[in-house]
Amino acid sequence: MMRFHTKPHQRWRLAFIAVYFTKILDSLTKKILEKNIPLLGPAILRSPSYTSIDVQDLHVSDSNGEDDDDHQPHLPFLNIDQKMLTEMVRDKDYEHLRQFGGIKQLLSVLETDEKAGINGAEADLLHRRDVFGSNEYRRPPKKAFFRFVLEAFNDTIIIILMGCAILSLGFGIKQHGVADGWYDGGSIVIAIFLVIIVSSLSNFRQSRQFQKLSSETSDIKVQVVRQGRRQPVSIFQLVIGDIVCLNIGDQVPGDGVLVEGHSLKIDESSLTGESDHVEIHEKDNPFLFSGTKISDGFGTMVVTSVGMNTAWGEMMSSIRREQDEQTPLQARLDKLASSIGKLGLAIALIVLVVLLVRYFTGNTVGDDGKKEFNGSKTNMDKVMDSVVRIVSAAVTIVVVAIPEGLPLAVTLTLAYSMKRMMADQAMVRKLSACETMGSATTICTDKTGTLTLNKMKVVEFWLGKEVMEDDTYLGIAPTVLQLLQQGVGLNTTGSVCNLPSTSVPEITGSPTEVAILTWAVVDLGMDIDEQKQRCEILHVEAFNSEKKRSGVLARRVSDRAIQTHWKGAAEMILAMCSHYFDKGGLTKVMDDDTRMQFGGIIEDMAAKSLRCIAFAYKQVPQENGQSHESLEEIGMTLLGLIGLKDPCRPGVRMAVEECKEAGVKIKMITGDNIFTARAIAMECGILKPDEDLNNAVVEGVTFRNYSDEERMEKIEMIRVMARSSPFDKLLMVQSLKQKGHVVAVTGDGTNDAPALKEADIGLSMGIQGTEVAKESSDIVILDDNFASVVTVLRWGRCVYNNIQKFIQFQLTVNVAALSINFVAAVSAGDIPLTAVQLLWVNLIMDTLGALALATERPTYDLLKKPPVGRTKPLISNVMWRNLLAQAFYQVAVLLILQFKGMDIFKVDEKVKNTLIFNTFVLCQVFNEFNARHMEKKNVFQGIFKNRLFLGIIGFTIVLQVVMVEFLKKFANTERLNWGQWGTCIGIAALSWPIAWLVKCIPVSDKQFLTFGKS
């Protein structure tokens, strides 16, 4: 009874405790929400599904003051909503950013520091990828091999061949029954199958190769700050929270928010289609989108979304990138193949008509010597059999006439060349550039990094009119030294990182910035962090290739004094100056005589191939009410002049000579002054010391101000353009194209994009090139070396040359086969070469021949010839000479065998036909050697360097022996004895001395036939 009364009492006590505890929790929740809402926003810490409370992380220490090893590790980002971060940037929602507490608090939430970046440890990077995802987007499914097979079936040539196969099968079975009648039609089907498989495999491999190339192109390097160090990382390794350094021409690697920026402008056309550039600044519009490009200024950003959480990732995941581009050469070859096919159809039609007329007029005699057609006396079945046989002969001629190997040859050549060029430091972005480069007549090249090593070092320093040696640096006045340190430390896009593990600071940036910072740190004793702490930057004028200078407006923290600092091309900075400092720190007026003296110092440095950089400053009066939106450009005081040495690349002089020997003109276009440009051009061999340089060297402004007539008159003589702007480079390209030149242009900057697009072949630099320049180019030179440009030129000529070799070889086969069958059919009413035999010849010549001749590597001999014009016919006079000579020889030999072979060799008709077939095939094998060199008499030169060629020749011979000796029924052949084999080989081998003699015959420059002209 007592126990019964206590149960309700206990329940009331439990209810009281639950209510009391809930109120305490509610109170705690309100406190933590009030504390964290300004930081994280209500959407993060409170939702209908849960309420969060603040649980303190208590460190339990033992008596020795050591932390308990078993305490729970810190797991960041658990309360961060990725969707909210994504929407904040996508919608440019500044209110949402304010709820985070601004950019500073956002950095705190993402556990990153605006100066030091993220921790960067492997565990930290892995955790960030686990929580927010990696910077990769889902790619559409790859095109399956079966799709390529279906596309190959849709080819017009294949459809015609399929029609021939069906007809041949029908006629064969009608004449000889199923057991023996399928051979001709079946062989055509097998040939079609092999062509489709080889073509599909080639296209499939090329597609995979393009996808791999696309991935390599997308794998750009991004400058990030991790653990206080500025370092390059792959764009795919980027994580949320990374601090990214942005400069002109860079691609924004992920969605994010600007941390600090100066004169920053973004090209968002890749996302929005709008061509107007968008200004980005911390106060009103700090949001940056992945995939956009920096068009001006520089700055740093914090990454808030990567991969599929960005608009760029969503867009790219829906785009299938396939290499479906048809190059001009492929288009010309398709046209050529179509023309040859039409010619074959015409000949087949003539043969069909002639044979039908011969038959029905009683001029066709059978094996028994009697007429095959005797009017109404002839059995209808026999008439049908004869008509079927005649139609089969016409179909066979059509089959042999169609050069299905031509498109395959160019595909193999381009795919092989792309792969090999990658190994030779050239990444092909557009297939057409491979062949167009072979026609290049002029190369417009940059100087810095292309002709030179781009490893700069300050080798000369002038303070006032006095050159400073290493032992005189200590005598520089402290005020001048401090201003120089400010001028370098504040006005730079590079960085200096003092690592605790080493006494040598880590300096990063462009080669010019690295050289200047190294000089300032080592020789002037500059501490860049100290300079940035002492001054507050108010405004920055970023460097661009138009102004060729950069400036900064800064306020000293100590006395609030405002100073303007400029750095840039020496003569341009000198023009802004009215005073200069001497070594002792005295300010002196710069009169005309002094200005001329400084001009002489700059010219002397430039004559020694030095790049001249000047520093100037001006104290800005506080009372002038400057708005801090622009920098003073007059009345500056010159702080000093430095000369940077950038040595020429080893081998560049030889590469320039090779281009000249190849008939390709080199024009150097540089932003350096005219004296430096002339000195470097002399050093590289572009200019000769003993020639007239008045018209060979010109400044950009002079070239720009020429009249159209004057420019077109002088452009051939100009070889060096100094102090050029991107517009001048574009104007040069346009003028050269108007003169009929095929122009290749190198470029690395964002402003080079118009010239790269305008040129016939745009060559961007893989190391120093911006992403904008690379996207505008056709080929990326991976090592920035001019010698690699010459390698690309050699490969371009090699592609064209290999295609021409194959055309010569292929047409020899076609002309000979068509001629022998046409003459034999018209004169004797029968053809010596069966469909199976002709298809075998076509197959080994098309597929194996294409593979053998398309994979010849470029030789230096290719650069001893003038450029091949793009409008010149594919089949040159030299090719006509070679192929007609070989075709006439083969036709003559085969016709002798056709009409006199049985008497000469004392054999029956079947053995005679086998001799004709064997001799014809062996003639092609020997002629394949002749095709290796169209003009050179020694066709065996370099033969052992191409093992694939020798392997294919050996494989072809083995297959031919099998066809003759073992596949007698299928190939309609008879076994030959050793003497007959020797005779066939001897006749075929005569093609070598004939080719040697024919190459002694000179050819006219006037085109014999314009077959295959563009």
Side-chain angles (χ1 to χ4, degrees):
M1 185 72 170
M2 185 68 184
R3 191 170 50 195
F4 175 80
H5 284 291
T6 57
K7 284 183 179 179
H9 176 70
Q10 289 173 350
R11 289 195 190 102
W12 277 108
R13 283 184 61 189
L14 287 171
F16 175 79
I17 292 169
V19 171
Y20 181 75
F21 187 67
T22 303
K23 285 190 175 184
I24 292 172
L25 283 177
D26 187 52
S27 174
L28 286 171
T29 302
K30 287 178 181 177
K31 286 180 181 179
I32 190 62
L33 284 174
E34 287 169 4
K35 185 174 76 174
N36 283 317
I37 279 176
L39 176 64
L40 298 176
I44 295 178
L45 285 172
R46 185 162 191 155
S47 76
S49 60
Y50 72 92
T51 299
S52 65
I53 61 171
D54 193 15
V55 179
Q56 299 297 322
D57 184 17
L58 298 177
H59 277 58
V60 181
S61 300
D62 61 15
S63 57
N64 296 325
E66 295 180 354
D67 288 348
D68 183 4
D69 291 337
D70 297 329
H71 96 277
Q72 191 69 21
H74 171 57
L75 293 175
F77 320 128
L78 292 181
N79 290 328
I80 296 179
D81 187 354
Q82 173 64 71
K83 185 179 178 183
M84 194 182 76
L85 286 172
T86 302
E87 289 174 351
M88 177 184 74
V89 176
R90 187 186 63 200
D91 301 336
K92 295 187 177 182
D93 191 343
Y94 198 83
E95 180 60 29
H96 228 142
L97 180 62
R98 193 190 62 76
Q99 286 182 7
F100 271 98
I103 294 170
K104 301 288 184 186
Q105 289 296 341
L106 177 63
L107 292 170
S108 176
V109 169
L110 296 175
E111 300 204 359
T112 186
D113 183 83
E114 63 179 301
K115 301 296 182 188
I118 62 173
N119 175 271
E122 192 61 34
D124 180 43
L125 296 175
L126 283 171
H127 184 60
R128 288 175 187 268
R129 288 193 192 101
D130 288 341
V131 176
F132 301 113
S134 59
N135 197 26
E136 294 179 351
Y137 54 84
R138 289 191 299 271
R139 298 181 184 274
K142 294 177 181 177
K143 203 170 173 182
F145 176 70
F146 184 67
R147 287 277 303 279
F148 290 97
V149 173
L150 287 177
E151 286 175 7
F153 262 113
N154 289 329
D155 187 75
T156 309
I157 291 172
I158 297 296
I159 292 169
I160 293 171
L161 287 173
M162 284 294 290
C164 292
I166 293 166
L167 286 172
S168 188
L169 270 172
F171 296 154
I173 292 169
K174 171 80 173 62
Q175 278 186 296
H176 308 292
V178 177
D180 298 323
W182 69 272
Y183 291 145
D184 285 1
S187 65
I188 298 174
V189 171
I190 292 168
I192 292 169
F193 175 76
L194 287 173
V195 167
I196 285 173
I197 291 298
V198 172
S199 177
S200 300
L201 275 172
S202 175
N203 290 331
F204 178 72
R205 286 188 63 192
Q206 189 177 334
S207 173
R208 290 292 183 266
Q209 188 177 334
F210 176 74
Q211 286 167 355
K212 183 183 176 185
L213 183 69
S214 178
S215 297
E216 289 173 355
T217 306
S218 304
D219 188 9
I220 61 177
K221 294 297 179 185
V222 181
Q223 291 285 335
V224 301
V225 180
R226 290 178 180 173
Q227 295 179 328
R229 288 181 58 205
R230 183 169 166 175
Q231 53 191 282
V233 300
S234 165
I235 190 171
F236 301 129
Q237 300 300 315
L238 199 72
V239 295
I240 283 187
D242 260 325
I243 300 294
V244 179
C245 304
L246 302 171
N247 286 301
I248 294 178
D250 288 350
Q251 177 178 313
V252 179
D255 285 2
V257 179
L258 184 70
V259 176
E260 182 184 13
H262 303 286
S263 308
L264 200 64
K265 288 186 179 179
I266 303 292
D267 177 7
E268 294 184 351
S269 58
S270 57
L271 279 180
T272 63
E274 296 291 334
S275 57
D276 293 337
H277 294 173
V278 180
E279 287 190 27
I280 304 293
H281 36 78
E282 298 97 315
K283 293 181 180 178
D284 300 324
N285 182 26
F287 303 106
L288 293 143
F289 297 108
S290 176
T292 57
K293 307 291 190 302
I294 309 298
S295 58
D296 198 9
F298 61 93
T300 57
M301 65 172 280
V302 59
V303 179
T304 58
S305 298
V306 292
M308 291 303 296
N309 291 317
T310 66
W312 180 255
E314 288 177 15
M315 184 175 74
M316 292 304 291
S317 67
S318 63
I319 297 173
R320 181 193 290 273
R321 294 187 66 190
E322 292 291 344
Q323 182 55 279
D324 54 359
E325 165 199 11
Q326 187 181 45
T327 72
L329 187 57
Q330 283 174 321
R332 288 169 74 180
L333 282 175
D334 284 349
K335 192 175 178 182
L336 179 62
S338 175
S339 301
I340 295 170
K342 287 173 184 175
L343 181 65
L345 280 169
I347 292 173
L349 190 62
I350 293 169
V351 168
L352 180 65
V353 171
V354 169
L355 290 180
L356 286 173
V357 169
R358 279 174 57 90
Y359 177 76
F360 286 111
T361 55
N363 291 315
T364 305
V365 181
D367 295 336
D368 55 2
K370 295 179 181 178
K371 291 181 180 180
E372 288 191 356
F373 184 75
N374 289 314
S376 58
K377 296 178 183 178
T378 309
N379 190 315
M380 196 61 190
D381 286 341
K382 286 187 177 181
V383 172
M384 285 302 297
D385 288 344
S386 297
V387 170
V388 165
R389 190 186 71 246
I390 291 168
V391 174
S392 295
V395 167
T396 302
I397 289 173
V398 173
V399 170
V400 78
I402 295 173
E404 65 271 18
L406 281 179
L408 180 63
V410 73
T411 302
L412 286 171
T413 303
L414 290 172
Y416 175 78
S417 302
M418 275 181 70
K419 189 175 180 181
R420 289 294 182 182
M421 284 170 78
M422 193 75 176
D424 286 343
Q425 302 299 314
M427 184 171 69
V428 180
R429 288 173 54 86
K430 291 184 182 176
L431 271 179
S432 56
C434 286
E435 61 200 49
T436 312
M437 194 65 191
S439 303
T441 59
T442 304
I443 298 175
C444 298
T445 176
D446 286 332
K447 175 188 78 71
T448 306
T450 308
L451 298 173
T452 61
L453 284 169
N454 210 10
K455 293 180 179 177
M456 298 194 186
K457 183 182 179 183
V458 176
V459 294
E460 210 165 300
F461 171 41
W462 288 76
L463 188 52
K465 301 175 187 177
E466 186 178 347
V467 64
M468 306 300 294
E469 304 295 341
D470 291 343
D471 55 351
T472 60
Y473 273 56
L474 295 173
I476 300 174
T479 52
V480 178
L481 184 64
Q482 187 178 4
L483 287 170
L484 276 169
Q485 290 176 347
Q486 286 177 3
V488 175
L490 300 178
N491 188 12
T492 183
T493 56
S495 65
V496 180
C497 180
N498 295 298
L499 301 173
S501 57
T502 174
S503 59
V504 180
E506 186 178 75
I507 300 174
T508 55
S510 70
T512 305
E513 293 286 1
V514 168
I516 295 172
L517 286 171
T518 303
W519 166 72
V521 170
V522 176
D523 293 340
L524 300 183
M526 179 192 75
D527 184 335
I528 194 168
D529 293 329
E530 184 182 328
Q531 295 301 326
K532 289 183 176 180
Q533 287 168 8
R534 286 180 176 179
C535 298
E536 176 192 354
I537 295 175
L538 303 175
H539 186 68
V540 172
E541 288 275 348
F543 179 88
N544 65 56
S545 49
E546 290 283 349
K547 293 183 177 180
K548 302 192 185 304
R549 63 177 188 245
S550 63
V552 63
L553 187 71
R555 180 191 286 123
R556 281 205 303 263
V557 175
S558 58
D559 58 4
R560 312 298 288 173
I562 298 175
Q563 296 173 338
T564 297
H565 282 275
W566 282 104
K567 172 186 74 179
E571 66 268 32
M572 294 191 172
I573 298 297
L574 184 66
M576 298 162 62
C577 294
S578 59
H579 297 76
Y580 70 96
F581 275 117
D582 66 6
K583 180 183 174 183
L586 296 175
T587 305
K588 296 185 177 180
V589 176
M590 189 181 294
D591 55 23
D592 291 341
D593 290 339
T594 308
R595 193 178 298 278
M596 285 182 66
Q597 287 178 333
F598 278 117
I601 291 169
I602 293 168
E603 287 183 21
D604 290 342
M605 281 200 284
K608 291 183 277 188
S609 305
L610 301 184
R611 173 181 280 188
C612 308
I613 304 290
F615 298 92
Y617 110 106
K618 183 178 183 180
Q619 187 85 16
V620 181
Q622 295 271 12
E623 63 272 14
N624 72 348
Q626 189 165 346
S627 65
H628 309 325
E629 289 300 321
S630 61
L631 276 66
E632 293 274 358
E633 297 186 9
I634 56 172
M636 307 297 293
T637 301
L638 184 68
L639 289 172
L641 299 166
I642 57 172
L644 288 85
K645 181 69 176 175
D646 186 12
C648 282
R649 285 184 178 274
V652 74
R653 192 180 184 91
M654 187 186 297
V656 169
E657 290 301 323
E658 285 175 356
C659 285
K660 287 182 176 179
E661 193 177 355
V664 179
K665 295 179 180 178
I666 306 296
K667 298 185 187 294
M668 187 179 87
I669 302 175
T670 177
D672 283 337
N673 70 40
I674 197 164
F675 305 103
T676 306
R678 185 183 295 161
I680 291 289
M682 291 273 192
E683 202 174 331
C684 294
I686 295 172
L687 295 175
K688 300 291 183 186
D690 55 348
E691 62 185 329
D692 179 26
L693 302 180
N694 288 332
N695 293 317
V697 184
V698 68
E699 285 193 327
V701 64
T702 308
F703 180 76
R704 189 184 319 147
N705 292 328
Y706 283 150
S707 66
D708 290 343
E709 295 78 14
E710 197 175 8
R711 191 180 301 115
M712 297 304 284
E713 180 188 337
K714 293 186 176 183
I715 196 164
E716 298 284 0
M717 295 180 283
I718 295 171
R719 271 170 294 155
V720 176
M721 186 158 67
R723 282 290 177 244
S724 66
S725 69
F727 174 76
D728 298 327
K729 184 184 277 192
L730 177 62
L731 193 59
M732 171 73 83
V733 173
Q734 290 169 337
S735 303
L736 285 167
K737 287 179 75 175
Q738 284 176 26
K739 290 282 282 187
H741 285 273
V742 180
V743 188
V745 170
T746 70
D748 55 10
T750 302
N751 292 329
D752 289 329
L756 289 168
K757 285 181 178 178
E758 179 69 26
D760 297 290
I761 312 104
L763 304 162
S764 64
M765 300 295 111
I767 299 172
Q768 288 300 315
T770 63
E771 292 309 310
V772 174
K774 289 176 188 175
E775 285 193 6
S776 302
S777 66
D778 305 305
I779 297 173
V780 180
I781 305 299
L782 298 174
D783 60 354
D784 289 17
N785 194 343
F786 185 78
S788 297
V789 176
V790 180
T791 302
V792 171
L793 177 68
R794 215 165 53 239
W795 269 111
R797 292 192 176 187
C798 180
V799 167
Y800 196 85
N801 196 49
N802 285 351
I803 296 298
Q804 283 190 313
K805 289 176 189 177
F806 180 73
I807 290 172
Q808 176 185 302
F809 174 68
Q810 170 85 55
L811 289 187
T812 304
V813 179
N814 285 55
V815 169
L818 278 173
S819 300
I820 180 71
N821 274 4
F822 177 74
V823 172
V826 171
S827 60
D830 200 3
I831 55 173
L833 297 171
T834 66
V836 174
Q837 292 169 352
L838 284 173
L839 279 165
W840 163 239
V841 173
N842 243 22
L843 191 64
I844 61 169
M845 297 310 113
D846 285 354
T847 309
L848 298 178
L851 198 60
L853 294 172
T855 54
E856 287 277 358
R857 297 205 67 173
T859 62
Y860 286 95
D861 292 335
L862 291 169
L863 296 180
K864 293 178 181 176
K865 302 175 186 177
V868 179
R870 284 176 299 177
T871 57
K872 287 188 179 179
L874 272 174
I875 309 172
S876 64
N877 284 353
V878 170
M879 293 169 67
W880 280 120
R881 178 197 67 187
N882 295 343
L883 76 88
L884 288 175
Q886 290 294 331
F888 285 150
Y889 168 67
Q890 289 178 21
V891 169
V893 167
L894 296 178
L895 286 176
I896 290 169
L897 289 175
Q898 168 69 10
F899 295 109
K900 298 293 181 182
M902 292 170 66
D903 298 331
I904 294 170
F905 293 100
K906 303 291 189 277
V907 292
D908 59 22
E909 188 170 357
K910 206 160 188 183
V911 174
K912 178 207 72 173
N913 286 342
T914 304
L915 284 169
I916 292 173
F917 168 57
N918 201 34
T919 303
F920 184 55
V921 170
L922 291 175
C923 277
Q924 312 320 319
V925 171
F926 280 86
N927 193 39
E928 205 158 346
F929 287 87
N930 295 329
R932 290 188 69 244
H933 297 288
M934 289 185 286
E935 294 182 71
K936 201 177 280 186
K937 292 176 183 175
N938 181 9
V939 296
F940 303 105
Q941 184 177 346
I943 189 73
F944 293 108
K945 291 181 180 177
N946 193 344
R947 293 180 181 177
L948 182 61
F949 180 88
L950 292 174
I952 287 170
I953 292 292
F955 184 62
T956 304
I957 292 170
V958 169
L959 287 177
Q960 178 61 17
V961 171
V962 171
M963 284 286 286
V964 172
E965 298 294 326
F966 302 104
L967 297 177
K968 297 187 294 178
K969 200 170 183 182
F970 176 75
N972 199 25
T973 57
E974 286 292 321
R975 298 187 74 167
L976 301 178
N977 59 37
W978 286 106
Q980 290 163 345
W981 268 101
T983 303
C984 293
I985 292 169
I987 293 170
L990 278 174
S991 64
W992 285 350
I994 289 169
W996 190 91
L997 289 169
V998 165
K999 286 174 183 175
C1000 296
I1001 302 171
V1003 292
S1004 170
D1005 291 333
K1006 188 177 179 182
Q1007 190 61 34
F1008 170 59
L1009 281 173
T1010 57
F1011 206 46
K1013 190 169 181 178
S1014 175

